[in-house]
Amino acid sequence: MQVETFKDQLQAKLRQKSSPQNEKGLILLQSIENNLNLEQRTNPTAYIAQLINLLKSTKEGQDVIILLIYKILPSVPIVVVRKLISALLEEIGKAQLDNLSVGVFGQILILSSKEDLNSPKMHQLFNLLLQQTISDKKKLRKQAIKTLQSFYQQKALDIQQIPEINERLKTHLKINLQENNECAQHSLTLLASLNNLIPYSILVDALYVIIEEIQNMDSKYYPFIFLSLEQVLQQNVGADQAEKLIQQLNQIQPEEVNAQHAYIQCIRQCLITLSQSSLSLAASYLPSTLSNMAELLLQNNQKLMQHCRLEMMTLIEKIGKATLSLKQDLAEDIMNLELESAGTLQQKYIATLTYLFSNRFDHANILDVFAKFFATIDDKTFEHCKEIIKEFVHNKSRWPHVYFEKTFGQLCNGVSMSNLLRTFPLKTEGVNPLDKDFDEKSNCWILYILSKYANPKLEEFLDFLFPLTNLLSLASNANPSHEQKIIQNILFHVLEIASNSKVTNDSQNHPKLAQFIELTLNYLKKEHVFFEKLLLMIAKLFSQLVTFSSLQNFAKQYISTLAKLVEQNNCTHTLNAIKVMSFAAPKQYIQEAFKKNMDKLLSSKDKLDDKALNNMDIVLQVVSAQQMTSDLWDYCINFTKEMINIPIIQKKIYKFLAAIIPKVHHTFLAEVYNLVLEAECEPSSRQKRFQVILQLEQYVISNLDSYQTFIQQFLPEMVVAIRDNNIKTRILAEKLIENIGQRLLGLDLLDQFISMVFAGLAAQSNVMKADAVATISLLVDKFYQNLKGEFIDEMTKLILLLLKEQNNEIFKSIILYVKVLIKHRHTLNSQLFTQLLNLDEVSRDKNIIILKRLLMKLSKAYPATAESLIPQEHIKLFKNAIKIEKQQKKKKNKRDQEKELNKQKWQEKKQKQQKDSDLESDEESEQELGTKPKQQQGGMETEAEVENNLLLKYDFKKEQFHFEDAIKQKKKIQEKEQQKQSTIKPLVEYKDGKVIVNEQKEVLGQKRRREAANSDDEEHAQKKITRNDRKTKDVVHVVKESGSTFKSKQKAGGDVTVKGRPEPFAFIQLNPKALNKRFKNQASKAFEEVFSKKSGALKGVKAHK
């Protein structure tokens, strides 16, 4: 290692954190370096040797010496370290033990060889580190645990071959976990940190000790015990240990909130760990565990209840679902002990959940639990849960209807509609819809839930809900009574369920399917209330019934019925239904109907009316189901030739061409190409025409000559469409030009294509010139990386010549072109902007906003050189654009800050509401904590200080709590508040007998704002002046001090000098506003209080005549 590298790294380590110890270390390092020669300075071993000698010779500053040893030791070769181990242990052992000494001992352990680790000295060193893990000093404990973690991570293989070390750890944990003091807590912390590193046997023995002693431990250690146990249980421990631990935990009922949080978290992990070894065993403890958690739902602490609900839902999802699926042969313990049957376990589990229906529990706390429970039920386990579901429905009046529907809707995910309707059968006969108990008697409440959450099979719908479709006859009234409105509501949900039904192979042979289709066919009338609903349902169902040949005749009837409705009045839903039915109807019938409608259109082409246009809509829907033969293709082409130049139907003809082009081979498309080329285009049809041209560009072109011909024939139309008013047309034209550019780029003909577009600049029309510039801008933007800079510069010179035309449209297109150049950071010159800005004043003023936006982009793209590109006479315009941009940016930042501030306020308000709900329990705990003694010196923190110092926070991602230091957080908040207060200074303050006026800084672009002085006397003086001048406007000048503060309160005249305050004075802050003529008369008002007018002459002064 080079001298500079070693020295820099070492100094960087010491300078990372500024402290007196690190500064002393830097000084000592420099003094050691001065005593070494050049060769020794490159060797870290020389520094270690010098530091060891210093430890032997001096007793002062040993902490700094050990600090340098700790920093340098990792850089020393391992061979050298092993030789220095005895010297390091001897000298550092004499010094006072601190966290640095522990760190050095840990490095020695890690750098030692396997043979050295087996030596008595290393065993003693390991014992020393173990003892520090239960030290009274927090820093020592942390450093010792951290050191042992690193040791077990890096020396895992060596430790396995040295049983003595593991035996010492095992003994240490066993002895200290049996202690009923802080040693047990510290040992648990060590066990949790080494959870995944130590051998399994040590973990099991430690768990046995915890299980035996947990009831005897002080309750103030419960949060630490439970959280440490949770981390230990995340390793796959055995079923025996998990079972015994659950038995012990069920006998403990912690009273403190922190302990309860950690308790439910620990017992949840314990059950999950047990379920991985024995599911039936875990299921036997699930009811009692859920019962204990349910009691915690009755607490007043909102956070505790929320956490408890989450843990109950976790257990229901991971263990409860498996409990419901248990079979008799699986309910056997691995120890061959007698265990309850699977049926008994399921009954106890369901009985525990049934207990939650008690009035003791609030609906907000238990509905989430039931929603998770219902989500675990399927058709196989539905029989076990039928009674609790009925009980839930019986109590539905207790819950808000929205929450009841969401909770019950979770059943629809796993339970079939047939099972639900068997349990809650529908009864509509003999029941009055106007009765209050109609829902309970008829069970029609379930229809809404099924329509929203269920995914039934079609045969289920036909078996259970088909009889309700007879209500269609009662729902045809346009002015229904109250009773009919209820029936219509029921029927609406029935049809929604039918729309969501899934068709299976068994649905084809269902006897009621044909009846259902016939029934709906009879009510396909415009005046029917559910006409559109029926159309949507039919379209959804027939889209799944296409392959059923038995339904072809029904599809034929539907199409004929719907076609008559379309002729009367066009409807999107009707056309969509025809499109779906055309795939299910007989092919011969569809083709005949297709030709028949086209013949109708041809016969009436001279006088097309709305009825003819409706026929064209039917043709467009049916064409998607046609199989295009050569005869049918010729028929379609002849139809298109006759109709394409008729303006009223031209848009639909282009849509027709777009539908039939993908159905044939590209060799058939020459006729379409000629048709489109020769046809005239209406503005309203341009979008559909470009869709056809885009298809032709993909299918027709086979060689270069034909492609060039295609470009020459359609390029003018594409250029004009680039600036079309219709955005869809513009997008299609841009896509078409980009496709051509991509294809010609592969042939190295892109420059020629741009030159062809460039020829449009010679057009007589200014609009065509503007379109050509816009097209060139598009090509340069898309293919800038493939174009040479010289080619772009030449184009730019020629484009700028168009400015002489003084046309507004051309000017806008040129601005667009310059924006593209700025976007790609093209090299620009001042001549470009000179020509651009030296335009006639009228055109420049008309497009001033566009120009300013261009200059904003320029300043962003070229921050260093932008100003030099602008002509001197237009610098003001450039600076104005930058100023506007800054203002916009400032406004945007302000809006973002306001949004963030509002978000923070909302979160704080929400947190405050949660805290208010915990107020009672928090006040009780504070009263208890106030009576506890302070922390004993060098000992464990008392319960009061644990409560105050530690915040138990739950991490939902990692599913665990985190302890955070609350005192440090409070100090940081207090420091920030002090800093804010220190920055706010009064406008007038008295310091060392002087008057100091603190004026606020002026904000750029805003008027100067000044506030009145903070002192009460000054405010009183200001009010006094303004009160005496009610008839006039406000005083122009600002009176900071009128002098009335020093006025004698007695009858004597003159001022009074007050000790500790400055001599009497008056201060009036002048306002530039007084220079205005409007305020000239009011300017003297502020001085009237200071120079008060008196009648007669003053005493002691001669009166002048």
Side-chain angles (χ1 to χ4, degrees):
M1 184 181 293
Q2 297 178 358
V3 178
E4 292 81 9
T5 305
F6 174 70
K7 184 179 178 181
D8 291 344
Q9 286 183 353
L10 193 55
Q11 287 179 344
K13 290 179 182 178
L14 294 171
R15 287 171 179 159
Q16 280 179 355
K17 186 178 180 182
S18 179
S19 66
Q21 195 176 32
N22 286 351
E23 290 175 1
K24 291 178 182 179
L26 288 168
I27 296 170
L28 180 59
L29 182 66
Q30 188 64 39
S31 63
I32 292 173
E33 186 180 356
N34 294 335
N35 296 329
L36 299 175
N37 56 39
L38 290 175
E39 293 182 1
Q40 290 176 333
R41 290 178 186 179
T42 62
N43 189 1
T45 306
Y47 287 86
I48 290 291
Q50 290 287 331
L51 290 169
I52 293 173
N53 291 333
L54 282 173
L55 273 178
K56 291 179 181 179
S57 59
T58 181
K59 292 186 178 180
E60 295 181 358
Q62 288 186 339
D63 56 339
V64 180
I65 298 171
I66 295 174
L67 171 66
L68 289 179
I69 292 174
Y70 180 71
K71 299 288 185 183
I72 297 173
L73 200 60
S75 303
V76 180
I78 295 177
V79 179
V80 178
V81 174
R82 290 173 180 173
K83 292 180 180 180
L84 296 173
I85 284 176
S86 57
L88 286 169
L89 289 176
E90 182 180 353
E91 298 304 328
I92 295 177
K94 294 177 183 178
Q96 185 179 359
L97 192 66
D98 58 3
N99 58 326
L100 289 172
S101 304
V102 171
V104 174
F105 290 152
Q107 288 178 346
I108 291 172
L109 271 176
I110 293 169
L111 296 172
S112 300
S113 63
K114 184 171 67 175
E115 292 76 16
D116 292 336
L117 286 175
N118 223 353
S119 64
K121 285 186 178 181
M122 291 296 130
H123 294 168
Q124 292 176 4
L125 184 59
F126 185 73
N127 277 342
L128 177 65
L129 291 175
L130 288 176
Q131 289 301 318
Q132 300 315 309
T133 59
I134 58 173
S135 172
D136 296 336
K137 298 179 180 179
K138 190 174 181 180
K139 286 186 178 180
L140 274 177
R141 290 200 307 270
K142 281 188 173 182
Q143 185 64 44
I145 292 173
K146 183 180 177 181
T147 302
L148 287 172
Q149 271 185 315
S150 301
F151 174 61
Y152 268 90
Q153 283 174 351
Q154 298 185 31
K155 306 292 282 187
L157 295 175
D158 293 342
I159 294 172
Q160 290 178 3
Q161 300 177 15
I162 306 172
E164 182 67 24
I165 289 180
N166 286 328
E167 193 62 34
R168 289 176 183 273
L169 176 62
K170 183 177 179 181
T171 306
H172 171 82
L173 291 172
K174 187 174 182 180
I175 292 171
N176 289 287
L177 285 173
Q178 291 175 347
E179 298 291 333
N180 187 18
N181 53 22
E182 61 270 15
C183 291
Q185 179 223 330
H186 300 328
S187 299
L188 267 171
T189 306
L190 174 64
L191 181 64
S193 61
L194 300 177
N195 180 22
N196 297 321
L197 302 172
I198 59 177
Y200 182 73
S201 58
I202 299 177
L203 185 65
V204 172
D205 290 342
L207 272 176
Y208 272 120
V209 175
I210 295 170
I211 291 167
E212 292 173 0
E213 300 294 332
I214 192 169
Q215 287 189 344
N216 300 325
M217 291 182 179
D218 196 333
S219 60
K220 69 181 179 181
Y221 302 122
Y222 278 171
F224 305 99
I225 294 170
F226 294 143
L227 288 175
S228 301
L229 278 174
E230 187 214 359
Q231 294 182 14
V232 171
L233 287 166
Q234 287 175 1
Q235 188 170 340
N236 191 14
V237 300
D240 293 343
Q241 295 83 24
E243 183 184 6
K244 290 181 179 179
L245 183 58
I246 289 175
Q247 292 172 354
Q248 294 290 338
L249 290 173
N250 284 334
Q251 296 176 13
I252 298 173
Q253 293 296 331
E255 297 179 356
E256 297 176 3
V257 175
N258 284 351
Q260 288 172 341
H261 271 287
Y263 170 78
I264 58 178
Q265 194 168 320
C266 177
I267 199 168
R268 179 261 301 160
Q269 185 61 44
C270 195
L271 260 181
I272 291 174
T273 303
L274 180 60
S275 67
Q276 294 171 356
S277 301
S278 174
L279 179 60
S280 57
L281 199 57
S284 64
Y285 289 103
L286 181 61
S288 58
T289 303
L290 290 176
S291 179
N292 289 338
M293 289 184 176
E295 293 300 320
L296 296 177
L297 288 175
L298 301 173
Q299 301 291 334
N300 291 326
N301 191 300
Q302 189 69 25
K303 290 182 181 178
L304 179 62
M305 289 190 291
Q306 182 182 4
H307 185 206
C308 191
R309 286 201 309 271
L310 290 171
E311 298 296 357
M312 290 179 73
M313 290 161 65
T314 303
L315 288 176
I316 288 170
E317 181 181 9
K318 296 189 175 181
I319 303 176
K321 184 176 182 179
T323 302
L324 292 175
S325 303
L326 274 177
K327 295 181 180 179
Q328 186 66 33
D329 55 346
L330 295 178
E332 297 178 0
D333 189 30
I334 56 174
M335 301 293 293
N336 293 324
L337 299 175
E338 293 184 1
L339 195 67
E340 294 173 309
S341 66
T344 307
L345 291 176
Q346 292 160 356
Q347 289 173 6
K348 285 189 174 182
Y349 169 53
I350 294 171
T352 304
L353 293 175
T354 307
Y355 169 65
L356 296 177
F357 290 129
S358 170
N359 291 327
R360 300 174 65 199
F361 299 98
D362 183 27
H363 69 84
N365 292 328
I366 65 171
L367 284 179
D368 287 342
V369 177
F370 276 107
K372 182 62 69 175
F373 170 65
F374 287 161
T376 62
I377 301 174
D378 54 20
D379 284 332
K380 295 179 181 178
T381 59
F382 180 74
E383 287 299 323
H384 303 305
C385 310
K386 190 180 290 186
E387 294 302 320
I388 191 174
I389 294 171
K390 288 181 178 179
E391 184 70 18
F392 178 76
V393 173
H394 179 70
N395 288 278
K396 69 184 177 69
S397 58
R398 285 180 56 194
W399 335 115
H401 67 278
V402 175
Y403 297 119
F404 170 76
E405 290 163 2
K406 288 183 178 179
T407 305
F408 192 87
Q410 297 298 317
L411 272 173
C412 301
N413 294 330
V415 181
S416 62
M417 187 176 74
S418 56
N419 274 333
L420 293 174
L421 290 176
R422 287 192 191 99
T423 308
F424 304 101
L426 297 171
K427 301 175 184 177
T428 54
E429 296 181 0
V431 182
N432 187 0
L434 299 179
D435 289 344
K436 293 183 178 180
D437 56 351
F438 172 72
D439 270 355
E440 295 180 3
K441 289 181 180 179
S442 64
N443 286 328
C444 285
W445 54 267
I446 200 173
L447 291 174
Y448 172 75
I449 300 175
L450 292 175
S451 66
K452 193 172 182 180
Y453 296 97
N455 293 310
K457 296 179 182 178
L458 181 58
E459 48 266 34
E460 289 179 325
F461 170 79
L462 295 173
D463 288 337
F464 292 93
L465 298 180
F466 174 69
L468 293 178
T469 55
N470 293 321
L471 297 175
L472 283 168
S473 59
L474 302 176
S476 58
N477 191 356
N479 298 314
S481 61
H482 292 294
E483 183 178 356
Q484 288 175 333
K485 283 181 180 179
I486 297 173
I487 293 173
Q488 287 180 3
N489 189 28
I490 293 171
L491 187 57
F492 177 85
H493 296 307
V494 170
L495 295 178
E496 186 68 25
I497 295 169
S499 301
N500 297 332
S501 299
K502 306 298 178 185
V503 176
T504 62
N505 292 328
D506 297 333
S507 304
Q508 182 177 4
N509 301 321
H510 199 284
K512 294 181 181 179
L513 179 59
Q515 298 177 29
F516 174 62
I517 294 174
E518 286 180 359
L519 182 67
T520 55
L521 188 60
N522 295 331
Y523 292 100
L524 280 180
K525 300 175 182 179
K526 285 283 184 182
E527 62 273 8
H528 199 279
V529 176
F530 293 108
F531 173 70
E532 289 189 3
K533 192 68 185 174
L534 284 169
L535 286 176
L536 288 171
M537 181 200 70
I538 290 165
K540 284 186 178 180
L541 281 180
F542 268 87
S543 63
Q544 303 177 69
L545 297 171
V546 171
T547 57
F548 292 1
S549 57
S550 58
L551 300 177
Q552 287 184 354
N553 290 328
F554 288 114
K556 179 180 174 180
Q557 294 177 29
Y558 268 116
I559 290 174
S560 60
T561 303
L562 294 173
K564 293 177 183 177
L565 294 174
V566 170
E567 290 177 359
Q568 297 171 7
N569 186 11
N570 202 336
C571 175
T572 305
H573 298 302
T574 311
L575 293 173
N576 186 40
I578 290 175
K579 183 177 181 179
V580 173
M581 296 296 173
S582 63
F583 287 95
K587 301 302 176 186
Q588 186 64 28
Y589 169 77
I590 291 296
Q591 190 169 346
E592 290 176 359
F594 181 63
K595 290 182 178 181
K596 183 179 178 182
N597 280 280
M598 285 195 291
D599 289 338
K600 285 183 180 179
L601 288 166
L602 289 172
S603 61
S604 60
K605 70 175 183 177
D606 295 331
K607 47 178 183 178
L608 292 174
D609 54 5
D610 292 339
K611 186 176 180 180
L613 293 177
N614 291 338
N615 286 335
M616 187 64 203
D617 287 331
I618 296 174
V619 170
L620 289 174
Q621 301 305 319
V622 175
V623 70
S624 56
Q626 294 296 321
Q627 292 181 354
M628 198 61 63
T629 60
S630 58
D631 294 338
L632 187 58
W633 172 257
D634 293 337
Y635 199 89
C636 292
I637 292 298
N638 292 330
F639 170 75
T640 307
K641 284 179 182 178
E642 297 291 334
M643 308 294 292
I644 196 168
N645 288 320
I646 301 175
I648 193 172
I649 204 172
Q650 190 182 62
K651 184 177 179 179
K652 294 182 186 294
I653 294 298
Y654 278 117
K655 193 175 181 181
F656 176 75
L657 284 174
I660 64 173
I661 284 175
K663 292 180 173 292
V664 296
H665 192 263
H666 66 85
T667 53
F668 286 84
L669 298 180
E671 295 176 284
V672 180
Y673 182 88
N674 294 327
L675 270 175
V676 174
L677 184 63
E678 295 171 1
E680 298 177 359
C681 180
E682 295 293 321
S684 60
S685 309
R686 190 171 292 166
Q687 178 197 344
K688 299 300 179 183
R689 175 180 171 85
F690 268 96
Q691 285 182 356
V692 176
I693 295 173
L694 192 61
Q695 287 178 321
L696 292 174
E697 191 269 336
Q698 295 172 357
Y699 292 114
V700 170
I701 312 309
S702 57
N703 54 60
L704 182 58
D705 293 335
S706 59
Y707 197 62
Q708 288 179 339
T709 305
F710 170 82
I711 295 171
Q712 291 171 359
Q713 291 172 340
F714 287 102
L715 183 59
E717 192 173 356
M718 289 184 266
V719 171
V720 171
I722 283 293
R723 295 172 64 248
D724 195 88
N725 293 329
N726 190 327
I727 187 172
K728 293 182 179 179
T729 305
R730 292 201 303 269
I731 292 172
L732 288 169
E734 289 174 4
K735 187 177 180 182
L736 189 55
I737 289 174
E738 187 179 353
N739 288 351
I740 294 171
Q742 288 286 357
R743 190 171 292 191
L744 293 179
L745 179 64
L747 301 171
D748 294 331
L749 297 174
L750 180 61
D751 292 352
Q752 294 182 17
F753 177 56
I754 295 177
S755 300
M756 290 174 66
V757 178
F758 206 84
L761 300 180
Q764 293 182 355
S765 170
N766 287 330
V767 175
M768 187 62 187
K769 292 176 183 177
D771 294 338
V773 175
T775 308
I776 292 169
S777 303
L778 173 67
L779 289 168
V780 172
D781 186 25
K782 298 295 182 182
F783 303 101
Y784 180 82
Q785 302 297 332
N786 307 108
L787 298 174
K788 295 180 180 180
E790 297 82 3
F791 181 72
I792 295 175
D793 292 337
E794 289 296 326
M795 281 197 305
T796 305
K797 290 178 183 178
L798 295 173
I799 288 172
L800 291 174
L801 293 176
L802 294 175
L803 290 170
K804 296 178 181 179
E805 300 287 342
Q806 296 184 359
N807 182 270
N808 194 41
E809 297 298 323
I810 294 176
F811 183 74
K812 288 180 181 179
S813 297
I814 292 174
I815 291 289
L816 177 63
Y817 176 76
V818 177
K819 282 182 180 179
V820 170
L821 297 182
I822 293 172
K823 174 184 175 182
H824 294 282
R825 305 293 193 272
H826 186 72
T827 305
L828 303 175
N829 51 38
S830 57
Q831 186 180 0
L832 186 150
F833 290 96
T834 302
Q835 291 179 273
L836 198 63
L837 296 173
N838 288 339
L839 197 64
D840 62 295
E841 191 172 349
V842 176
S843 299
R844 189 171 63 245
D845 292 343
K846 191 181 291 185
N847 299 285
I848 191 68
I849 296 175
I850 302 174
L851 274 172
K852 286 182 179 179
R853 288 176 182 169
L854 176 69
L855 296 175
M856 288 178 192
K857 290 181 179 290
L858 181 68
S859 64
K860 285 182 181 179
Y862 306 92
T865 60
E867 191 169 349
S868 62
L869 296 173
I870 306 299
Q872 194 63 33
E873 60 271 20
H874 300 291
I875 287 292
K876 188 176 180 180
L877 179 64
F878 176 71
K879 290 183 177 179
N880 188 21
I882 295 174
K883 185 178 178 181
I884 293 171
E885 183 187 7
K886 287 180 179 178
Q887 289 176 352
Q888 290 176 351
K889 189 175 181 181
K890 189 176 180 180
K891 287 180 182 178
K892 184 179 180 299
N893 291 338
K894 189 176 180 180
R895 286 196 300 268
D896 294 342
Q897 288 175 2
E898 288 177 353
K899 284 182 182 179
E900 190 66 28
L901 187 63
N902 292 334
K903 187 178 179 181
Q904 289 177 1
K905 285 181 180 179
W906 180 81
Q907 290 176 350
E908 288 173 2
K909 186 178 179 181
K910 192 175 180 181
Q911 290 175 0
K912 187 178 179 182
Q913 290 174 353
Q914 292 178 351
K915 286 181 181 178
D916 291 342
S917 63
D918 299 341
L919 185 61
E920 296 180 3
S921 58
D922 290 343
E923 288 177 350
E924 292 175 2
S925 61
E926 286 176 4
Q927 291 174 1
E928 293 176 2
L929 294 173
T931 60
K932 299 289 177 83
K934 292 185 178 180
Q935 179 185 355
Q936 300 176 1
Q937 186 175 2
M940 165 68 184
E941 296 94 40
T942 63
E943 185 177 358
E945 291 184 348
V946 168
E947 191 75 26
N948 291 330
N949 295 351
L950 297 176
L951 294 173
L952 192 65
K953 291 198 173 181
Y954 183 69
D955 188 350
F956 286 89
K957 291 183 179 178
K958 297 183 179 179
E959 295 188 349
Q960 61 183 13
F961 280 90
H962 298 289
F963 284 112
E964 294 185 4
D965 198 334
I967 292 177
K968 289 182 179 179
Q969 291 180 352
K970 289 181 182 178
K971 285 182 178 179
K972 287 180 181 178
I973 294 170
Q974 290 174 358
E975 288 174 0
K976 287 181 179 179
E977 290 177 352
Q978 290 174 0
Q979 288 176 0
K980 288 181 181 178
Q981 292 175 0
S982 63
T983 55
I984 301 172
K985 296 181 179 180
L987 291 176
V988 178
E989 57 180 339
Y990 310 103
K991 190 173 183 181
D992 299 332
K994 299 178 182 178
V995 180
I996 300 173
V997 180
N998 299 312
E999 295 188 15
Q1000 293 183 352
K1001 295 181 179 179
E1002 288 190 21
V1003 181
L1004 186 63
Q1006 295 183 0
K1007 291 184 178 180
R1008 196 172 180 178
R1009 296 180 182 178
R1010 301 180 178 90
E1011 297 178 358
N1014 291 333
S1015 86
D1016 296 337
D1017 295 328
E1018 292 163 349
E1019 288 181 4
H1020 174 70
Q1022 176 71 18
K1023 289 177 183 177
K1024 187 174 181 181
I1025 293 172
T1026 55
R1027 198 185 305 120
N1028 295 333
D1029 195 17
R1030 296 285 185 189
K1031 295 180 181 180
T1032 62
K1033 292 184 179 180
D1034 293 337
V1035 179
V1036 177
H1037 299 301
V1038 181
V1039 181
K1040 298 293 185 182
E1041 174 59 68
S1042 64
S1044 60
T1045 307
F1046 307 98
K1047 189 175 181 179
S1048 173
K1049 295 181 181 179
Q1050 306 298 328
K1051 293 183 179 180
D1055 297 323
V1056 177
T1057 304
V1058 181
K1059 188 178 181 180
R1061 301 197 70 180
E1063 295 180 0
F1065 75 97
F1067 173 55
I1068 298 175
Q1069 188 173 7
L1070 300 180
N1071 191 345
K1073 185 178 174 183
L1075 297 174
N1076 195 317
K1077 291 181 179 180
R1078 290 182 297 169
F1079 304 104
K1080 189 175 181 180
N1081 295 331
Q1082 303 168 22
S1084 61
K1085 296 289 184 182
F1087 298 92
E1088 289 183 1
E1089 181 70 13
V1090 180
F1091 303 102
S1092 56
K1093 297 178 181 179
K1094 291 186 178 180
S1095 61
L1098 295 173
K1099 292 180 182 180
V1101 181
K1102 283 188 177 183
H1104 297 281
K1105 292 181 181 180

